[in-house]
Amino acid sequence: AQTVTQSQPEMSVQEAETVTLSCTYDTSESNYYLFWYKQPPSRQMILVIRQEAYKQQNATENRFSVNFQKAAKSFSLKISDSQLGDTAMYFCAINPQGGSEKLVFGKGTKLTVNP
Amino acid sequence: DTAVSQTPKYLVTQMGNDKSIKCEQNLGHDTMYWYKQDSKKFLKIMFSYNNKELIINETVPNRFSPKSPDKAHLNLHINSLELGDSAVYFCASSPTHFGGTGELFFGEGSRLTVL
């Protein structure tokens, strides 16, 4: 079974600053994908970034980057130059390969970007 | 053109009633899912279907019955609604069941309120 832990229920950051959201996970699978999804007040679930576990290079998407530490089972999200539109719930998730494919989510971190 | 669409977006009903939520995806994906997001924002998988076949059924009460008439549609019917069923229900789809990127594409969610 897969588990995902987000230890920060809430965080805040000033506009234009950098913030890091933490995520740890547990899985017995050797191959899996890790994700960060964003859920703004509109409720829509939006993919922020994806990381394949077999890739050592950390994924980046514009202002969003991850620090993937496979041995430590850690997958943190860094948001640079925070914008007001980044205010949202952020969910870390894991999807194992090779078995029944389903996304298992952490409990989320509520991020508020302050002007 | 909405990729994963759910109807209705909002549903308010009395305890004991029966209600349905419909989901359609136009992405050509093989697999569809229902997730439940509770009042604490926790997202948990309920069901998944691959090409109309039930793949995952996560200890959901049998008052919940998914139906997939074809691979582009996955509906959720709930009998004898209870207060605890109040939640946001998300439909999602993914390109393949085994393999692929593991990314799920979500609908906008349907907020169900049971009075």
Side-chain angles (χ1 to χ4, degrees):
Chain A
Q2 282 65 235
T3 60
V4 177
T5 302
Q6 294 178 247
S7 57
Q8 305 148 316
E10 292 192 43
M11 294 190 73
S12 63
V13 64
Q14 292 298 121
E15 200 174 2
E17 297 291 309
T18 295
V19 65
T20 299
L21 279 57
S22 301
C23 172
T24 57
Y25 62 92
D26 194 21
T27 181
S28 56
E29 300 286 343
S30 56
N31 290 325
Y32 49 90
Y33 289 97
L34 294 162
F35 303 86
W36 279 97
Y37 277 86
K38 167 185 176 180
Q39 187 180 37
S42 67
R43 204 169 69 200
Q44 179 75 49
M45 294 289 290
I46 302 165
L47 178 69
V48 175
I49 200 163
R50 176 180 64 233
Q51 174 82 43
E52 293 91 336
Y54 61 86
K55 287 188 178 178
Q56 292 188 341
Q57 186 174 7
N58 289 326
T60 62
E61 285 287 341
N62 301 313
R63 298 182 295 108
F64 299 88
S65 61
V66 297
N67 183 1
F68 174 46
Q69 302 288 328
K70 190 172 183 178
K73 295 185 177 176
S74 171
F75 183 62
S76 60
L77 175 70
K78 185 170 85 170
I79 306 174
S80 304
D81 185 26
S82 297
Q83 300 176 0
L84 296 177
D86 295 334
T87 293
M89 284 289 292
Y90 286 83
F91 293 95
C92 180
I94 186 170
N95 197 342
Q97 279 188 295
S100 58
E101 195 166 292
K102 64 179 183 182
L103 215 52
V104 175
F105 287 89
K107 293 191 174 183
T109 296
K110 183 178 180 181
L111 176 68
T112 302
V113 180
N114 298 309
Chain B
D1 203 16
T2 306
V4 182
S5 59
Q6 302 178 222
T7 55
K9 301 280 190 293
Y10 297 92
L11 193 51
V12 180
T13 189
Q14 299 288 329
M15 258 195 324
N17 284 350
D18 303 339
K19 289 294 177 186
S20 293
I21 305 172
K22 295 186 177 182
C23 179
E24 176 182 4
Q25 54 96 2
N26 62 8
L27 298 168
H29 290 167
D30 299 319
T31 307
M32 296 184 72
Y33 308 78
W34 279 109
Y35 276 79
K36 179 180 180 180
Q37 186 174 42
D38 62 23
S39 58
K40 294 184 179 178
K41 301 290 187 181
F42 185 53
L43 276 152
K44 190 163 191 277
I45 190 167
M46 300 173 69
F47 302 103
S48 79
Y49 271 73
N50 179 256
N51 276 321
K52 303 192 296 177
E53 181 184 348
L54 179 66
I55 302 297
I56 295 174
N57 182 343
E58 288 280 317
T59 59
V60 177
N62 56 17
R63 297 182 296 105
F64 290 78
S65 53
K67 283 188 173 53
S68 182
D70 55 61
K71 74 173 193 177
H73 296 83
L74 180 61
N75 304 323
L76 182 65
H77 187 75
I78 315 170
N79 290 325
S80 304
L81 279 156
E82 300 177 357
L83 293 176
D85 297 332
S86 294
V88 179
Y89 292 86
F90 283 95
C91 178
S93 70
S94 65
T96 57
H97 187 63
F98 296 104
T101 66
E103 179 184 349
L104 268 59
F105 296 76
F106 285 86
E108 293 180 341
S110 298
R111 179 179 292 281
L112 171 65
T113 302
V114 182
L115 303 175

